[in-house]
Amino acid sequence: MGDFVRQAADDDIDEHSAKHQAQVTADIQSIPDDITIIPFQPPSDSTRTEDEQDDNEAHEQEVDEEEEEEEDRGSYYWDAATMTPLNAASAAAIARLRAFKPPPFPLWDRLPVSRRAAVLMLLYADRRGDLRVVITMRAASLRSFSGHAALPGGKADTLEETPYQIARREAWEEIGLPMDDSRIPAPFRIEHLCYLPFNLARTELVVRPCVALLHAAEPPVPTSSTVVTPTVEESLIPKLDAKEVAAVFSAPFHNFLRSRDEVHADEQRKVPAGKWYEGSWAHWHEEPWRMHFFYVPVTNQRVTKPKLRDGGLASIAEHTEDDMDEETPGRYKVWGMTARILVDAATVAYGEEPEFEHNSHFGDEQMIDGLEKLGRLGPKKRPGSELTSEDLKKAAKEAAKM
Protein backbone atom coordinates (compact mmCIF):
# COMPACT_ATOMS: atom_id res chain seq x y z
CA MET A 1 0.00 0.00 0.00
CA GLY A 2 2.96 2.34 0.50
CA ASP A 3 3.73 2.30 -3.30
CA PHE A 4 1.14 3.80 -5.58
CA VAL A 5 3.14 3.32 -8.79
CA ARG A 6 3.89 -0.34 -9.42
CA GLN A 7 5.84 -1.55 -12.51
CA ALA A 8 5.32 -5.08 -13.72
CA ALA A 9 8.47 -7.04 -14.69
CA ASP A 10 8.44 -9.91 -17.19
CA ASP A 11 11.52 -12.16 -17.31
CA ASP A 12 10.20 -14.22 -20.22
CA ILE A 13 10.53 -11.67 -23.05
CA ASP A 14 11.45 -13.57 -26.23
CA GLU A 15 14.50 -12.75 -28.32
CA HIS A 16 12.53 -10.88 -31.00
CA SER A 17 10.93 -8.55 -28.42
CA ALA A 18 14.32 -7.87 -26.82
CA LYS A 19 15.83 -6.90 -30.18
CA HIS A 20 12.85 -4.68 -30.94
CA GLN A 21 13.21 -2.91 -27.58
CA ALA A 22 16.94 -2.40 -28.20
CA GLN A 23 16.20 -0.84 -31.59
CA VAL A 24 13.63 1.52 -30.08
CA THR A 25 16.14 2.58 -27.41
CA ALA A 26 18.78 3.22 -30.06
CA ASP A 27 16.37 5.30 -32.13
CA ILE A 28 15.48 7.46 -29.11
CA GLN A 29 19.16 7.99 -28.25
CA SER A 30 19.94 9.00 -31.84
CA ILE A 31 17.68 12.06 -31.67
CA PRO A 32 19.95 15.15 -31.41
CA ASP A 33 19.65 17.24 -28.26
CA ASP A 34 19.16 20.49 -30.17
CA ILE A 35 16.29 19.29 -32.32
CA THR A 36 13.40 21.74 -32.54
CA ILE A 37 9.96 20.32 -32.03
CA ILE A 38 7.28 22.31 -33.86
CA PRO A 39 4.02 21.97 -31.96
CA PHE A 40 0.96 20.87 -33.86
CA GLN A 41 -1.31 23.79 -34.69
CA PRO A 42 -4.98 22.80 -35.00
CA PRO A 43 -6.85 24.39 -37.89
CA SER A 44 -8.76 27.54 -37.09
CA ASP A 45 -12.53 27.50 -36.98
CA SER A 46 -12.57 29.33 -40.31
CA THR A 47 -10.79 26.43 -42.07
CA ARG A 48 -12.93 23.70 -40.55
CA THR A 49 -15.97 22.32 -42.21
CA GLU A 50 -19.31 22.70 -40.45
CA ASP A 51 -19.38 18.99 -39.67
CA GLU A 52 -15.85 19.15 -38.20
CA GLN A 53 -16.83 22.06 -35.95
CA ASP A 54 -19.95 20.23 -34.78
CA ASP A 55 -17.89 17.11 -34.03
CA ASN A 56 -15.31 19.15 -32.13
CA GLU A 57 -17.96 20.96 -30.07
CA ALA A 58 -19.61 17.64 -29.23
CA HIS A 59 -16.22 16.22 -28.17
CA GLU A 60 -15.50 19.28 -25.99
CA GLN A 61 -18.90 18.89 -24.32
CA GLU A 62 -18.18 15.21 -23.60
CA VAL A 63 -14.80 16.13 -22.07
CA ASP A 64 -16.41 18.83 -19.92
CA GLU A 65 -19.05 16.38 -18.69
CA GLU A 66 -16.35 13.82 -17.87
CA GLU A 67 -14.37 16.46 -15.94
CA GLU A 68 -17.47 17.43 -13.98
CA GLU A 69 -18.11 13.78 -13.12
CA GLU A 70 -14.49 13.40 -11.94
CA GLU A 71 -14.55 16.49 -9.75
CA ASP A 72 -15.65 14.45 -6.73
CA ARG A 73 -13.55 11.30 -6.52
CA GLY A 74 -14.12 10.79 -2.82
CA SER A 75 -15.33 7.53 -1.33
CA TYR A 76 -18.17 7.57 1.17
CA TYR A 77 -19.32 4.88 3.56
CA TRP A 78 -22.98 5.50 2.72
CA ASP A 79 -22.49 5.23 -1.08
CA ALA A 80 -21.65 1.76 -2.42
CA ALA A 81 -21.00 3.25 -5.87
CA THR A 82 -17.85 4.90 -4.47
CA MET A 83 -16.50 1.67 -2.99
CA THR A 84 -14.76 -1.37 -4.48
CA PRO A 85 -13.68 -4.77 -3.11
CA LEU A 86 -10.68 -4.84 -0.81
CA ASN A 87 -7.32 -4.89 -2.55
CA ALA A 88 -4.65 -7.38 -1.45
CA ALA A 89 -3.07 -5.12 1.18
CA SER A 90 -6.45 -4.21 2.66
CA ALA A 91 -7.63 -7.83 2.70
CA ALA A 92 -4.47 -8.82 4.59
CA ALA A 93 -5.03 -5.95 7.05
CA ILE A 94 -8.60 -7.09 7.73
CA ALA A 95 -7.38 -10.67 8.25
CA ARG A 96 -4.88 -9.48 10.87
CA LEU A 97 -7.56 -7.51 12.69
CA ARG A 98 -9.90 -10.53 12.69
CA ALA A 99 -7.13 -12.63 14.22
CA PHE A 100 -6.13 -10.08 16.89
CA LYS A 101 -7.06 -10.99 20.46
CA PRO A 102 -6.41 -8.39 23.17
CA PRO A 103 -5.15 -9.66 26.53
CA PRO A 104 -7.81 -10.35 29.20
CA PHE A 105 -8.76 -7.35 31.33
CA PRO A 106 -11.05 -8.56 34.14
CA LEU A 107 -11.22 -5.08 35.72
CA TRP A 108 -13.83 -4.08 33.12
CA ASP A 109 -16.35 -6.40 34.73
CA ARG A 110 -15.86 -4.65 38.07
CA LEU A 111 -16.13 -1.11 36.75
CA PRO A 112 -19.33 0.84 37.50
CA VAL A 113 -21.43 1.81 34.49
CA SER A 114 -20.38 5.45 34.89
CA ARG A 115 -16.77 4.52 34.04
CA ARG A 116 -17.44 2.42 30.96
CA ALA A 117 -17.25 3.72 27.39
CA ALA A 118 -16.55 2.46 23.88
CA VAL A 119 -15.83 3.86 20.42
CA LEU A 120 -16.48 2.43 16.97
CA MET A 121 -13.70 2.40 14.39
CA LEU A 122 -15.66 1.84 11.18
CA LEU A 123 -13.50 0.87 8.20
CA TYR A 124 -14.55 0.63 4.57
CA ALA A 125 -12.91 0.22 1.16
CA ASP A 126 -12.58 3.23 -1.16
CA ARG A 127 -12.54 3.34 -4.96
CA ARG A 128 -9.10 1.67 -5.03
CA GLY A 129 -9.88 -0.93 -2.40
CA ASP A 130 -7.80 0.93 0.21
CA LEU A 131 -9.19 1.19 3.73
CA ARG A 132 -10.61 4.44 5.10
CA VAL A 133 -11.91 5.19 8.60
CA VAL A 134 -14.96 7.24 9.58
CA ILE A 135 -14.22 10.15 11.97
CA THR A 136 -16.47 12.80 13.51
CA MET A 137 -15.87 16.33 14.75
CA ARG A 138 -17.52 16.85 18.12
CA ALA A 139 -19.97 19.72 18.44
CA ALA A 140 -18.71 22.91 20.08
CA SER A 141 -21.61 22.77 22.57
CA LEU A 142 -20.37 19.57 24.27
CA ARG A 143 -18.84 19.89 27.73
CA SER A 144 -16.02 17.41 27.09
CA PHE A 145 -13.59 17.59 24.16
CA SER A 146 -15.78 20.03 22.23
CA GLY A 147 -14.56 20.66 18.69
CA HIS A 148 -12.21 17.65 18.79
CA ALA A 149 -12.00 14.89 16.22
CA ALA A 150 -13.32 11.61 17.60
CA LEU A 151 -14.49 8.15 16.69
CA PRO A 152 -18.24 7.62 17.13
CA GLY A 153 -18.83 6.43 20.67
CA GLY A 154 -19.70 7.29 24.25
CA LYS A 155 -20.62 6.02 27.68
CA ALA A 156 -22.44 2.83 28.66
CA ASP A 157 -26.13 2.98 29.55
CA THR A 158 -26.25 -0.29 31.48
CA LEU A 159 -23.88 -2.87 32.93
CA GLU A 160 -25.32 -5.46 30.56
CA GLU A 161 -24.11 -3.67 27.41
CA THR A 162 -21.00 -5.08 25.77
CA PRO A 163 -18.44 -2.58 24.48
CA TYR A 164 -19.53 -3.31 20.90
CA GLN A 165 -23.17 -2.69 21.77
CA ILE A 166 -22.20 0.62 23.40
CA ALA A 167 -20.25 1.68 20.33
CA ARG A 168 -23.05 0.73 17.90
CA ARG A 169 -25.69 2.51 19.97
CA GLU A 170 -23.61 5.66 20.13
CA ALA A 171 -22.91 5.50 16.38
CA TRP A 172 -26.67 5.36 15.83
CA GLU A 173 -27.25 8.37 18.06
CA GLU A 174 -24.40 10.42 16.56
CA ILE A 175 -24.34 9.61 12.82
CA GLY A 176 -27.47 7.52 12.24
CA LEU A 177 -25.73 4.17 11.67
CA PRO A 178 -28.43 1.56 12.43
CA MET A 179 -27.87 -0.49 15.59
CA ASP A 180 -29.76 -3.47 14.24
CA ASP A 181 -27.91 -5.23 11.42
CA SER A 182 -31.23 -6.34 9.95
CA ARG A 183 -32.07 -2.69 9.30
CA ILE A 184 -28.95 -2.04 7.26
CA PRO A 185 -29.96 -2.02 3.59
CA ALA A 186 -28.32 -4.08 0.87
CA PRO A 187 -25.59 -4.14 -0.26
CA PHE A 188 -24.14 -3.14 3.12
CA ARG A 189 -23.13 -5.40 6.01
CA ILE A 190 -21.15 -4.62 9.18
CA GLU A 191 -18.66 -7.13 10.58
CA HIS A 192 -17.18 -6.74 14.06
CA LEU A 193 -13.50 -7.54 13.61
CA CYS A 194 -11.90 -7.18 17.04
CA TYR A 195 -11.43 -5.22 20.23
CA LEU A 196 -8.27 -3.26 21.01
CA PRO A 197 -6.81 -2.88 24.52
CA PHE A 198 -8.60 -0.39 26.78
CA ASN A 199 -7.65 3.28 26.73
CA LEU A 200 -7.94 5.89 29.46
CA ALA A 201 -9.66 9.21 28.77
CA ARG A 202 -8.72 12.33 30.74
CA THR A 203 -12.31 12.34 32.01
CA GLU A 204 -11.57 9.09 33.87
CA LEU A 205 -13.51 6.89 31.46
CA VAL A 206 -12.22 3.47 30.48
CA VAL A 207 -12.66 3.24 26.71
CA ARG A 208 -12.76 0.06 24.62
CA PRO A 209 -12.03 0.58 20.88
CA CYS A 210 -14.19 -1.66 18.68
CA VAL A 211 -12.99 -2.22 15.11
CA ALA A 212 -15.56 -3.07 12.43
CA LEU A 213 -15.66 -3.38 8.65
CA LEU A 214 -18.47 -2.08 6.48
CA HIS A 215 -18.87 -4.53 3.61
CA ALA A 216 -20.51 -3.37 0.39
CA ALA A 217 -21.15 -6.52 -1.62
CA GLU A 218 -23.29 -6.65 -4.72
CA PRO A 219 -26.99 -6.31 -3.77
CA PRO A 220 -29.03 -9.53 -3.94
CA VAL A 221 -31.26 -10.12 -6.94
CA PRO A 222 -34.90 -9.31 -6.00
CA THR A 223 -37.11 -12.38 -5.73
CA SER A 224 -40.25 -10.44 -6.67
CA SER A 225 -41.21 -7.46 -8.79
CA THR A 226 -41.88 -5.40 -5.67
CA VAL A 227 -38.93 -3.24 -4.68
CA VAL A 228 -38.93 -2.00 -1.09
CA THR A 229 -37.21 1.35 -0.66
CA PRO A 230 -35.36 1.61 2.68
CA THR A 231 -36.66 4.22 5.08
CA VAL A 232 -34.41 6.98 6.38
CA GLU A 233 -33.74 4.94 9.51
CA GLU A 234 -32.73 1.94 7.41
CA SER A 235 -30.39 3.82 5.09
CA LEU A 236 -26.77 4.72 5.69
CA ILE A 237 -27.14 8.34 4.59
CA PRO A 238 -25.58 10.28 7.49
CA LYS A 239 -28.20 11.51 9.91
CA LEU A 240 -26.26 13.62 12.36
CA ASP A 241 -27.17 14.76 15.85
CA ALA A 242 -26.28 18.45 15.68
CA LYS A 243 -26.03 18.57 19.48
CA GLU A 244 -23.15 16.06 19.43
CA VAL A 245 -21.58 16.08 15.95
CA ALA A 246 -20.35 19.05 13.93
CA ALA A 247 -19.10 17.07 10.92
CA VAL A 248 -18.28 13.60 9.59
CA PHE A 249 -15.34 12.88 7.31
CA SER A 250 -12.99 9.99 6.53
CA ALA A 251 -9.24 9.44 6.54
CA PRO A 252 -6.90 6.95 4.82
CA PHE A 253 -6.30 4.23 7.42
CA HIS A 254 -2.76 3.23 6.42
CA ASN A 255 -1.64 6.87 6.50
CA PHE A 256 -1.76 6.74 10.31
CA LEU A 257 1.55 4.86 10.09
CA ARG A 258 3.20 7.52 7.94
CA SER A 259 4.78 10.89 8.69
CA ARG A 260 3.66 12.42 5.37
CA ASP A 261 0.57 12.38 3.18
CA GLU A 262 0.16 9.21 1.14
CA VAL A 263 -1.23 10.59 -2.09
CA HIS A 264 -2.07 8.92 -5.39
CA ALA A 265 -0.67 10.58 -8.49
CA ASP A 266 -4.09 11.71 -9.70
CA GLU A 267 -4.85 13.38 -6.35
CA GLN A 268 -1.77 15.59 -6.03
CA ARG A 269 -3.55 18.76 -7.08
CA LYS A 270 -6.26 18.24 -4.45
CA VAL A 271 -3.95 17.99 -1.45
CA PRO A 272 -3.94 21.22 0.58
CA ALA A 273 -0.78 22.80 1.87
CA GLY A 274 0.42 21.79 5.31
CA LYS A 275 1.82 18.84 7.19
CA TRP A 276 0.15 15.47 7.66
CA TYR A 277 1.87 14.69 10.97
CA GLU A 278 3.46 16.32 13.98
CA GLY A 279 4.36 14.69 17.27
CA SER A 280 5.85 15.47 20.63
CA TRP A 281 6.74 13.69 23.85
CA ALA A 282 4.93 14.58 27.06
CA HIS A 283 5.43 13.30 30.60
CA TRP A 284 1.79 12.54 31.27
CA HIS A 285 2.99 10.30 34.09
CA GLU A 286 6.35 8.87 35.06
CA GLU A 287 6.90 7.44 31.61
CA PRO A 288 7.27 9.51 28.42
CA TRP A 289 4.07 9.73 26.41
CA ARG A 290 3.86 10.32 22.66
CA MET A 291 1.27 12.82 21.49
CA HIS A 292 0.26 12.40 17.83
CA PHE A 293 -1.21 15.20 15.72
CA PHE A 294 -2.55 14.29 12.28
CA TYR A 295 -3.90 16.85 9.82
CA VAL A 296 -6.31 15.01 7.53
CA PRO A 297 -6.97 16.56 4.08
CA VAL A 298 -10.68 17.06 3.45
CA THR A 299 -10.56 18.97 0.18
CA ASN A 300 -10.75 15.65 -1.69
CA GLN A 301 -14.10 14.68 -0.16
CA ARG A 302 -17.48 16.05 0.79
CA VAL A 303 -17.54 16.81 4.50
CA THR A 304 -20.90 15.88 6.00
CA LYS A 305 -22.49 18.36 8.39
CA PRO A 306 -25.87 18.42 10.15
CA LYS A 307 -28.74 20.23 8.53
CA LEU A 308 -30.99 21.71 11.20
CA ARG A 309 -34.75 21.64 11.31
CA ASP A 310 -36.92 23.83 13.49
CA GLY A 311 -36.16 23.22 17.15
CA GLY A 312 -32.53 22.30 16.52
CA LEU A 313 -33.15 18.66 15.57
CA ALA A 314 -30.92 17.08 12.96
CA SER A 315 -32.34 15.89 9.67
CA ILE A 316 -30.63 14.38 6.64
CA ALA A 317 -27.13 15.83 6.46
CA GLU A 318 -25.89 18.06 3.69
CA HIS A 319 -22.45 17.72 2.14
CA THR A 320 -20.21 20.79 2.05
CA GLU A 321 -16.55 21.80 2.16
CA ASP A 322 -17.06 24.97 4.21
CA ASP A 323 -15.72 25.87 7.63
CA MET A 324 -12.31 24.26 7.40
CA ASP A 325 -9.89 24.53 10.29
CA GLU A 326 -8.63 28.13 10.31
CA GLU A 327 -5.12 27.12 11.38
CA THR A 328 -4.76 24.44 8.69
CA PRO A 329 -7.15 25.29 5.82
CA GLY A 330 -8.38 22.19 4.05
CA ARG A 331 -7.37 19.87 6.89
CA TYR A 332 -8.96 18.59 10.10
CA LYS A 333 -6.77 17.90 13.13
CA VAL A 334 -6.97 14.42 14.70
CA TRP A 335 -5.09 14.06 17.98
CA GLY A 336 -5.25 12.86 21.58
CA MET A 337 -6.75 9.49 22.43
CA THR A 338 -8.37 9.20 18.98
CA ALA A 339 -5.01 9.54 17.23
CA ARG A 340 -3.46 7.05 19.64
CA ILE A 341 -6.18 4.46 18.93
CA LEU A 342 -5.82 4.93 15.16
CA VAL A 343 -2.05 4.40 15.33
CA ASP A 344 -2.50 1.26 17.45
CA ALA A 345 -5.14 -0.14 15.10
CA ALA A 346 -3.12 0.56 11.95
CA THR A 347 -0.04 -1.06 13.54
CA VAL A 348 -2.03 -4.24 14.21
CA ALA A 349 -3.73 -4.21 10.81
CA TYR A 350 -0.72 -3.73 8.56
CA GLY A 351 1.92 -5.44 10.68
CA GLU A 352 4.15 -2.36 10.37
CA GLU A 353 5.77 -0.02 12.84
CA PRO A 354 4.90 3.69 12.46
CA GLU A 355 7.48 5.87 10.73
CA PHE A 356 7.40 8.29 13.66
CA GLU A 357 8.28 7.82 17.33
CA HIS A 358 5.58 6.12 19.38
CA ASN A 359 4.89 4.26 22.63
CA SER A 360 5.70 0.57 22.51
CA HIS A 361 2.50 -0.61 24.21
CA PHE A 362 -1.15 -0.54 23.14
CA GLY A 363 -3.77 1.09 25.34
CA ASP A 364 -3.49 2.16 28.99
CA GLU A 365 -4.51 -0.94 30.92
CA GLN A 366 -1.63 -0.83 33.39
CA MET A 367 -2.45 2.78 34.24
CA ILE A 368 -6.16 1.94 34.59
CA ASP A 369 -5.31 -0.80 37.07
CA GLY A 370 -3.25 1.67 39.07
CA LEU A 371 -6.07 4.23 39.20
CA GLU A 372 -8.52 1.58 40.34
CA LYS A 373 -6.20 0.70 43.24
CA LEU A 374 -6.14 4.39 44.20
CA GLY A 375 -9.95 4.40 44.34
CA ARG A 376 -10.23 6.85 41.44
CA LEU A 377 -12.64 4.73 39.37
CA GLY A 378 -15.62 4.53 41.72
CA PRO A 379 -19.28 5.03 40.74
CA LYS A 380 -19.28 8.79 41.35
CA LYS A 381 -16.87 11.21 39.79
CA ARG A 382 -16.08 14.45 41.53
CA PRO A 383 -17.57 17.45 39.66
CA GLY A 384 -15.02 18.89 37.26
CA SER A 385 -12.61 16.06 38.02
CA GLU A 386 -9.96 15.38 35.40
CA LEU A 387 -6.78 13.39 35.65
CA THR A 388 -3.72 15.44 36.51
CA SER A 389 -0.04 14.60 36.13
CA GLU A 390 0.19 13.98 39.86
CA ASP A 391 -2.75 11.54 39.73
CA LEU A 392 -1.09 9.58 36.95
CA LYS A 393 2.27 9.48 38.71
CA LYS A 394 0.59 7.92 41.73
CA ALA A 395 -1.27 5.47 39.53
CA ALA A 396 1.95 4.48 37.79
CA LYS A 397 3.57 3.68 41.14
CA GLU A 398 0.58 1.53 42.14
CA ALA A 399 0.63 -0.27 38.81
CA ALA A 400 4.36 -0.99 39.19
CA LYS A 401 3.65 -2.85 42.43
CA MET A 402 1.42 -5.37 40.66
Side-chain angles (χ1 to χ4, degrees), residues 259-296:
S259 56
R260 295 178 178 83
D261 290 293
E262 285 186 325
V263 184
H264 295 275
D266 60 350
E267 292 180 337
Q268 289 286 352
R269 63 185 179 84
K270 294 184 178 181
V271 177
K275 297 179 179 179
W276 160 262
Y277 176 79
E278 291 178 333
S280 62
W281 287 99
H283 284 82
W284 200 40
H285 49 84
E286 291 189 338
E287 295 181 4
W289 196 259
R290 186 66 176 181
M291 296 291 293
H292 304 295
F293 300 86
F294 297 98
Y295 300 90
V296 178

Side-chain angles (χ1 to χ4, degrees), residues 3-51:
D3 283 327
F4 297 111
V5 180
R6 298 183 175 88
Q7 296 182 346
D10 187 354
D11 297 330
D12 298 323
I13 300 175
D14 59 29
E15 182 178 357
H16 174 75
S17 297
K19 289 181 179 179
H20 176 71
Q21 180 62 36
Q23 183 60 50
V24 171
T25 302
D27 291 343
I28 292 173
Q29 293 174 344
S30 68
I31 298 175
D33 293 337
D34 58 350
I35 191 169
T36 301
I37 306 296
I38 302 176
F40 170 72
Q41 298 291 337
S44 64
D45 289 344
S46 60
T47 62
R48 295 175 181 168
T49 66
E50 185 175 340
D51 289 342

Side-chain angles (χ1 to χ4, degrees), residues 9-235:
D10 187 354
D11 297 330
D12 298 323
I13 300 175
D14 59 29
E15 182 178 357
H16 174 75
S17 297
K19 289 181 179 179
H20 176 71
Q21 180 62 36
Q23 183 60 50
V24 171
T25 302
D27 291 343
I28 292 173
Q29 293 174 344
S30 68
I31 298 175
D33 293 337
D34 58 350
I35 191 169
T36 301
I37 306 296
I38 302 176
F40 170 72
Q41 298 291 337
S44 64
D45 289 344
S46 60
T47 62
R48 295 175 181 168
T49 66
E50 185 175 340
D51 289 342
E52 287 175 334
Q53 293 186 39
D54 290 343
D55 290 343
N56 184 67
E57 290 172 359
H59 174 69
E60 289 176 350
Q61 182 177 355
E62 289 176 1
V63 171
D64 290 342
E65 289 175 354
E66 289 176 0
E67 289 178 350
E68 288 179 2
E69 290 177 358
E70 292 179 356
E71 282 182 2
D72 181 12
R73 299 295 296 169
S75 297
Y76 308 101
Y77 71 89
W78 66 86
D79 186 355
T82 67
M83 302 162 67
T84 58
L86 298 170
N87 58 32
S90 297
I94 294 301
R96 292 188 192 97
L97 288 168
R98 282 196 191 104
F100 180 76
K101 304 295 182 187
F105 191 66
L107 174 58
W108 171 265
D109 295 326
R110 302 196 305 270
L111 287 174
V113 67
S114 60
R115 301 293 181 175
R116 301 185 183 193
V119 294
L120 180 67
M121 184 183 298
L122 185 64
L123 304 173
Y124 68 96
D126 66 11
R127 296 176 187 270
R128 293 179 174 84
D130 295 332
L131 290 171
R132 296 186 71 86
V133 57
V134 178
I135 305 175
T136 69
M137 294 294 290
R138 290 170 61 84
S141 58
L142 292 175
R143 289 183 298 175
S144 300
F145 308 111
S146 59
H148 289 200
L151 298 170
K155 297 168 63 175
D157 276 354
T158 69
L159 290 173
E160 287 70 35
E161 280 186 304
T162 66
Y164 185 60
Q165 289 171 334
I166 298 169
R168 287 292 298 271
R169 174 179 52 75
E170 288 288 333
W172 159 247
E173 295 173 2
E174 293 179 9
I175 64 174
L177 185 72
M179 288 187 292
D180 187 348
D181 286 343
S182 67
R183 296 182 69 82
I184 295 178
F188 299 107
R189 176 174 64 85
I190 296 178
E191 176 190 359
H192 180 207
L193 300 173
C194 69
Y195 289 129
L196 297 179
F198 288 94
N199 284 254
L200 178 66
R202 285 192 296 111
T203 51
E204 300 180 344
L205 288 175
V206 178
V207 182
R208 172 71 98 177
C210 310
V211 187
L213 174 66
L214 179 66
H215 294 266
E218 290 296 323
V221 178
T223 55
S224 67
S225 59
T226 303
V227 178
V228 179
T229 302
T231 65
V232 171
E233 288 76 14
E234 293 171 328
S235 73

